[in-house]
Amino acid sequence: MPGQQKKMLFCTAGVLSFACALGAAAAVGSQLWVRGSVLCSTGALLVNASGPELHKFIGDIQYGLFSGQRVRQCGLGGRPQSFSFFPDLLRTIPASIHVSVILFCTVLIVFALVAAGFFMLNAFGSPYETLHGPVGLYLWSFICCSCGCLILILFSSEVKIHHLSEKIANFKEGTFIFKTHSEQFANSFWTILVCSLVHFLNALLIRFAGFEFPFSKSKDSGTITGAVDLMY
């Protein structure tokens, strides 16, 4: 593939990686990972609420990785409350999974920036070492894509299997019991999914950049640049 087209592909991949890093960073600090509603089952059973009356016992909840908000409604009007995972909910939630999600988010952001830097290096310079060349680009993209998938799997299990919304809704509740009425993943969760797909796309761009070149190194290569370039 001509050098100008290859440069354009690497620039595109670099911009996408940088955008993913910014998007993942914004997602980590956001409170919109999960949005849903909780039912005050104790209050609804006390008055045998059904139909339109049941809406008086349905509150709202939304949260991210560090904090969130909930509206407790048990027929007495909505009472909004803000909460923090650290240290308030640390003993209530599955802390090991939650911390792992935050850790993998950090790794995703760092390696997305690293990938963006090396994509630009390969676009405007000459790859001269393995970690600066195609093998390195595949490696950074693979790490980012893997971290994104792990984040999605771990957070989904935390919400669905460990019933995170119910644990948050029932935090410091002695009288009323709340049940999850509905919940859905919000924008930040899907941002991580998009980041994973983008890094998978970047790996395809790396391969496409060397589509006309063989995978094996040339026996008669004059410079390091030429030998490494054959790996694309």
Side-chain angles (χ1 to χ4, degrees):
M1 177 174 290
Q4 199 67 23
Q5 296 181 25
K6 184 179 294 185
K7 180 181 296 186
M8 184 179 299
L9 287 175
F10 284 147
C11 285
T12 302
V15 171
L16 290 175
S17 294
F18 185 73
C20 284
L22 295 181
V28 170
S30 174
Q31 291 186 357
L32 290 178
W33 280 68
V34 174
R35 181 187 288 115
S37 59
V38 290
L39 172 65
C40 181
S41 58
T42 306
L45 288 173
L46 284 174
V47 300
N48 196 22
S50 62
E53 295 178 349
L54 197 62
H55 290 283
K56 298 180 180 179
F57 298 90
I58 297 178
D60 298 321
I61 187 171
Q62 66 177 40
Y63 54 88
L65 298 180
F66 293 97
S67 60
Q69 294 178 338
R70 63 178 182 175
V71 178
R72 300 167 62 255
Q73 188 158 311
C74 293
L76 303 173
R79 287 163 288 172
Q81 292 179 333
S82 298
F83 59 86
S84 174
F85 283 95
F86 304 97
D88 298 342
L89 291 166
L90 198 58
R91 295 182 179 180
T92 304
I93 64 173
S96 59
I97 297 179
H98 200 77
V99 172
S100 297
V101 171
I102 296 174
L103 177 62
F104 282 119
C105 283
T106 304
V107 174
L108 173 61
I109 295 170
V110 171
F111 278 93
L113 291 174
V114 171
F118 281 118
F119 272 119
M120 290 303 179
L121 177 64
N122 279 267
F124 296 103
S126 297
Y128 52 90
E129 295 289 347
T130 300
L131 294 182
H132 293 204
V135 175
L137 297 180
Y138 281 121
L139 176 63
W140 312 133
S141 299
F142 173 76
I143 291 175
C144 293
C145 187
S146 299
C147 286
C149 293
L150 286 172
I151 292 168
L152 298 175
I153 293 171
L154 289 174
F155 190 76
S156 298
S157 67
E158 186 180 7
V159 173
K160 299 298 183 180
I161 298 177
H162 294 275
H163 307 290
L164 184 60
S165 299
E166 285 189 9
K167 291 181 178 180
I168 294 173
N170 290 288
F171 178 63
K172 289 185 177 180
E173 286 291 341
T175 305
F176 298 103
I177 297 177
F178 290 87
K179 298 291 184 181
T180 302
H181 185 261
S182 66
E183 63 182 359
Q184 58 273 344
F185 295 109
N187 299 340
S188 296
F189 180 87
W190 301 118
T191 298
I192 299 298
L193 175 61
V194 171
C195 290
S196 301
L197 296 177
V198 165
H199 285 290
F200 179 76
L201 173 63
N202 283 350
L204 295 180
L205 290 179
I206 300 168
R207 178 65 190 95
F208 184 70
F211 186 77
E212 297 179 0
F213 295 89
F215 283 104
S216 60
K217 293 184 178 181
S218 174
K219 294 182 180 180
D220 186 19
S221 57
T223 62
I224 298 178
T225 300
V228 177
D229 192 50
L230 295 177
M231 298 172 63
Y232 286 104

